[in-house]
Amino acid sequence: MSNANTQTFDTEQYPFINKGLEGIVAFSTNKSFIDGQKGELIYAGYNINDLAHNVSFEEVCYLLWHEKLPTQAELDELNKELVANRALPQPVLDYIESTNSEASPMSVLRTATSMLADFDDDAEVYTDEANMRKAIKMTAQMPAIIAAFHRKREGKEIMAPLSEGSTAYNFLYMLNGEKPGEQAEKTMDLCLVLHAEHGMNASTFTARAICSTMSDIYSAITGAIGSLKGPLHGGANTAVMNMLLELDKDADINEFVSGKLARKEKIMGFGHRVYKTMDPRAVHLRSMAKGLAKEVGMEYLYEWSETILKTMKDEKNIDPNVDFFSATVYYSMGIKPDLYTTIFAMSRVSGWTAHYFEQFANNRLVRPRALYVGEKNLPISQISDR
Ligand code: SDX
């Protein structure tokens, strides 16, 4: 071994550094299970393929928070609490009204969600009951933040939340200024079900790490929103739509994809740290995208998507993830691309808060190590000598 003061460690010597914590099991959880080889996703015991089309987003919230599907009475009670908590505190509305209309919707969601704590008497109360109340409030209010900012930046009147209807129904009403049809509500509700929970993804890890210091749930969700915003994570759905919109009608899609791959550019909406086959959520979104794009006369979006899918499979053996077809689904619903990640967030807040409860109940401070590869004990020189 050479002198420790001058030795610089070669990280190749230390294979135990799992960059990106790849393959590291950091927690146990009852919230979800993913089999990346089989393409299987379980939410608290129930397969996503059984949950899709059979339960509402609110039932999934209840399932993730309580680890059982609700009875009708329990669901009615949760719906009542969600509806009762939709209205935003006036200072938060004032912020939304006054902030920069060009700001990123995810940035506004992050800021406004953090602000909610200032007007919540429970903010620094850490009982299970208070934490549940805060989870319900954020699940109810995040859709209102997203819709209010969008209306404001479009120069339209901010809609007050409805005192009835599902989360999906109220969100589309507040976003578009008119009550949605049954199909639109069902589509949005299914998207919220599909995006609710997904094991130890980067934003959920962020939420648990913040919880592990015994910080509050608003801080945990604010951090998770920041993590989800990145294009390698939840930001990918917006990036997928921007990629599709940059194509013109007679583009050679194969050439487009091959060119990007040749330049070592990532094709957004493809690949996954865990799935090594088709993401089961993408299977449902693919079918939704096909029907919706046809319905609105934008079949080309779906056809291009299928060509990209085939090229990626043929050239890289990489499958689409949840973000690829969700872009076409939301675009076909007339939703602006830069809102897609906020829709991901308003669903995933259910999973994030469920993981906060789980961490809080059986906590250990999240504090990994880092291999120091710098110099040690260097002599200090006076600034005049540097
Ligand atoms: C989500 O974790 C979760 O569960 C997240 C999520 C959830 O529900 O919470 O599922 C939601 O975030 C889905 C992922 C959305 N992100 C994207 O679509 C961005 C594009 N995808 C990639 O950046 C990538 O696939 C990741 C980040 C998703 C996963 O990356 P990994 O596990 O770190 O894999 P990697 O980058 O090391 O890639 C391995 C190989 C590389 O090739 P080589 O250098 O070995 O030749 O696969 C290639 C990569 O270049 N590759 C891609 C690719 N993804 C991986 N090549 C082109 N396009 C891609 N999208």
Side-chain angles (χ1 to χ4, degrees), residues 198 201 231-234 236 261 264-273 281 312 316 318 321-323 344 348:
H198 209 247
N201 57 83
L232 293 190
H233 190 11
L261 293 177
K264 286 281 182 199
E265 291 171 24
K266 294 275 174 61
I267 307 292
M268 292 292 133
F270 282 86
H272 199 277
R273 178 63 59 81
R281 301 166 296 176
M312 283 298 283
K316 298 281 283 187
I318 294 179
N321 56 51
V322 69
D323 291 308
F344 194 148
R348 186 56 60 86

Side-chain angles (χ1 to χ4, degrees), residues 143-165:
I145 292 168
I146 299 159
F149 173 64
H150 180 63
R151 302 281 296 180
K152 161 258 185 333
R153 71 175 181 176
E154 301 257 310
K156 295 173 183 165
E157 176 203 2
I158 291 178
M159 308 303 287
L162 295 170
S163 53
E164 87 271 338

Side-chain angles (χ1 to χ4, degrees), residues 37-201:
Q37 300 305 323
K38 281 166 57 182
E40 183 180 57
L41 172 58
I42 304 275
Y43 284 3
Y46 296 89
N47 192 300
I48 194 68
N49 294 328
D50 297 329
L51 290 167
H53 302 291
N54 289 309
V55 300
S56 66
F57 172 60
E58 289 80 5
E59 287 176 89
V60 165
C61 291
Y62 192 97
L63 171 63
L64 294 172
W65 290 337
H66 303 282
E67 290 164 15
K68 76 177 193 70
L69 283 171
T71 61
Q72 188 60 59
E74 289 163 337
L75 180 59
D76 293 347
E77 179 57 29
L78 175 58
N79 280 326
K80 206 167 87 193
E81 289 174 79
L82 286 166
V83 168
N85 283 286
R86 283 173 174 168
L88 297 174
Q90 190 56 48
V92 176
L93 271 174
D94 294 345
Y95 154 70
I96 291 170
E97 283 278 16
S98 62
T99 196
N100 174 7
S101 291
E102 302 305 310
S104 145
M106 278 295 277
S107 165
V108 172
L109 180 61
R110 185 188 63 223
T111 304
T113 301
S114 182
M115 268 184 87
L116 292 174
D118 297 358
F119 309 97
D120 186 340
D121 296 340
D122 276 334
E124 300 306 328
V125 179
Y126 288 73
T127 61
D128 291 349
E129 295 73 19
N131 283 335
M132 180 59 75
R133 286 196 296 271
K134 289 182 272 188
I136 289 171
K137 284 174 189 166
M138 282 187 276
T139 306
Q141 292 169 359
M142 284 170 69
I145 292 168
I146 299 159
F149 173 64
H150 180 63
R151 302 281 296 180
K152 161 258 185 333
R153 71 175 181 176
E154 301 257 310
K156 295 173 183 165
E157 176 203 2
I158 291 178
M159 308 303 287
L162 295 170
S163 53
E164 87 271 338
S166 66
T167 301
Y169 186 85
N170 177 62
F171 172 63
L172 290 172
Y173 164 74
M174 293 186 76
L175 187 71
N176 300 322
E178 59 186 22
K179 293 186 176 180
E182 190 185 345
Q183 183 57 42
E185 178 191 11
K186 275 191 177 158
T187 300
M188 182 51 69
D189 185 65
L190 177 49
C191 288
L192 298 179
V193 166
L194 293 172
H195 285 82
E197 160 60 14
H198 209 247
M200 210 35 62
N201 57 83

